[in-house]
């Protein structure tokens, strides 16, 4: 076993989200989400699939908790479906939906697994989108009311709350690039969306604390290490712009209470803002957004190497040959993980950091003797866990790590074509099968350290 290992009390977990695993799309009063609508719109999702059944976790959650016990994890990050709890996003709560999360939370606690609950993992109720969605300031109030309903119900048992998952994806992929639900292409709207997500986080934090005594509350953002393709001023500026759009536009307001001036200027220069000012920011908003939190959640998958495009916008340059990329086309780059963790600690001084997602999609072979060999995923986990350990040694207040994901699931616009699970899922039979990565993670958790030699699992 390697030297120091992880600190005592460290949380080892796995992560999932409601839309990607639950299924039971029209059961027990659940309302439609923007992702249901997106998936039923032709040509939006790669394999034309929907998440109507997904991993059928709504019915199989007991078995899925048993998988977590097999791994030995002490924490589980999941999300609640907003439209399962409030079918139209607001108004009267759906008792059957609340009862499902009650059972799940009780089941986790009985298994000795601490629930980390994400309120918004992208599945805005469709009815709210039709009223303007995240582009409307009214959605801020609706989100705070949803946070209130859920934390009143579960706040006695759930003590770790994440308001939003990756606001960048909702704002930019969902409203500027049209690649994610609700599929719009309006750069100005995307900036409003980002602001309303952040504001609703800030407003929800005191509500969650009031309803859940002693709770830890935070937000999860995706961080991508931004590097310049060369030392030229133009490429360095491209990396600055990318970092501004992707990382600082969210972290600066949350942790420092302002939007970065250079990125405001970029938005104006590239036509996302009519003037170099932010008309949607009202008095008091930034103070609300910068409410102190108990942790910052970081999702890390890869880095971006940027060069200047012809119009001055940043453009990504592939760094690895295609065969070395993950199935998502993402470079495997553990050093980038160390870099973002140390950077976030240095520039933003969060009280604690949780890595709320980290993992990789690869094509897996069929099982042999009930076990799937996935050496590249094992290696991804091993090298990233070592990077996390190095970050702790460098002083990052890292308190936990959640592997993405417990099991293969519905990967948004990629449908069922990308597999991130430690357990494989046969989506016909719903059978779960352990991969070597599940065994490896179990060994890490048991040893509280990363094995220096990967054991033979077959
Ligand atoms: C993240 C999402 C998560 C999953 C992974 C692969 O951006 O938060 O739901 O799709 O990517």
């Amino acid at each position: 076993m390697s030297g120091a290992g992880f600190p005592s009390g460290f949380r080892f977990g796995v992560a999932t989200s409601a839309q990607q695993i639950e299924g039971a799309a029209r059961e027990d009063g659940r309302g439609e989400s923007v992702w249901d609508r997106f998936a039923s719109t032709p040509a939006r999702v790669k394999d034309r699939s929907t998440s109507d059944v997904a991993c059928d976790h709504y019915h199989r959650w007991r078995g899925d908790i048993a998988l977590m016990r097999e791994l030995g994890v002490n924490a589980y990050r999941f999300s609640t479906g907003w439209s399962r709890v409030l079918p139209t996003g607001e108004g009267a709560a759906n008792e059957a939906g609340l009862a499902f999360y009650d059972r799940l939370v009780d089941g986790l606690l009985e298994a000795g697994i601490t629930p980390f609950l994400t309120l918004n993992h992208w599945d805005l109720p469709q009815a709210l989108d039709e009223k303007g969605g995240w582009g409307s300031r009214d959605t801020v109030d609706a989100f705070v009311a949803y946070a209130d309903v859920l934390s009143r119900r579960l706040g006695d048992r759930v003590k770790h709350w994440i308001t939003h998952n990756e606001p960048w994806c909702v704002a930019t992929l969902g409203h500027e690039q049209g690649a994610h639900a609700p599929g719009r292409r309006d750069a100005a709207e995307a900036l409003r969306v980002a602001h309303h997500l952040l504001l609703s986080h800030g407003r929800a934090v005191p509500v969650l604390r009031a309803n859940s005594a002693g709770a830890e509350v935070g937000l999860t953002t995706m961080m991508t290490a931004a590097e310049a393709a060369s030392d030229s001023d133009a490429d360095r500026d491209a990396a600055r712009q990318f970092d501004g759009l992707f990382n600082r536009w969210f972290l600066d307001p949350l942790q420092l209470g302002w939007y970065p001036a250079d990125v405001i200027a970029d938005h104006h220069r590239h036509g996302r803002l009519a003037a170099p000012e932010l008309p949607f920011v009202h008095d008091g908003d930034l103070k609300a957004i910068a409410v102190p939190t108990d942790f910052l959640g970081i999702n890390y998958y890869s880095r971006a190497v940027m060069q200047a495009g012809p119009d001055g916008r940043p453009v990504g340059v592939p760094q690895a040959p295609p065969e070395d990329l993950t199935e998502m086309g993402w470079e495997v780059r553990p050093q980038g993980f160390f870099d973002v963790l140390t950077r976030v600690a240095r520039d933003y001084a969060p009280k604690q950091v949780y890595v709320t997602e980290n993992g990789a999609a690869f094509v897996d072979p069929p099982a042999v003797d009930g076990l799937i060999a996935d050496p590249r995923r094992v290696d991804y986990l091993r090298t990233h866990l070592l990077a996390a350990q190095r970050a702790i040694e460098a002083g990052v207040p890292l308190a936990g790590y959640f592997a993405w994901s417990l099991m293969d699931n519905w990967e948004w616009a990629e449908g069922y074509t990308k597999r991130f699970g430690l357990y494989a899922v046969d989506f016909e039979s719903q059978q779960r099968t352990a991969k070597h990565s599940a065994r490896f993670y179990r060994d890490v958790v048991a040893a509280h350290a990363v094995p220096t030699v990967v054991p033979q699992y077959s």
Side-chain angles (χ1 to χ4, degrees), residues 177-224:
Q177 298 180 5
H180 275 189
R184 290 200 275 279
R185 292 173 190 270
D186 179 341
E189 187 188 10
L191 288 176
R192 273 203 319 277
V193 166
H195 183 67
H196 293 151
L197 286 162
L198 293 174
L199 181 60
S200 67
H201 155 80
R203 295 254 182 89
V205 168
V207 172
L208 294 167
R209 289 216 173 104
N211 292 339
S212 181
E216 288 187 8
V217 185
L219 173 145
T220 279
T221 181
M222 169 153 35
M223 283 201 76
T224 294

Side-chain angles (χ1 to χ4, degrees), residues 20 121-122 165-166 222 299 301 357 404 411-412 420:
Q20 293 176 274
H121 201 122
W122 304 354
N165 180 66
E166 298 182 355
M222 169 153 35
N299 293 350
Y301 288 94
E357 288 179 26
W404 184 272
E411 177 51 33
W412 309 110
F420 278 90

Side-chain angles (χ1 to χ4, degrees), residues 170-179 184-187 190 272 313:
V170 177
T172 308
L173 296 179
H175 296 80
E176 182 173 344
Q177 298 180 5
R184 290 200 275 279
R185 292 173 190 270
D186 179 341
R272 294 188 203 98
R313 292 179 195 235

Side-chain angles (χ1 to χ4, degrees), residues 21 214 226 235 301 315 364 371 379 421:
I21 66 165
D235 288 353
Y301 288 94
V315 183
D364 298 317
L371 203 57
D379 204 53

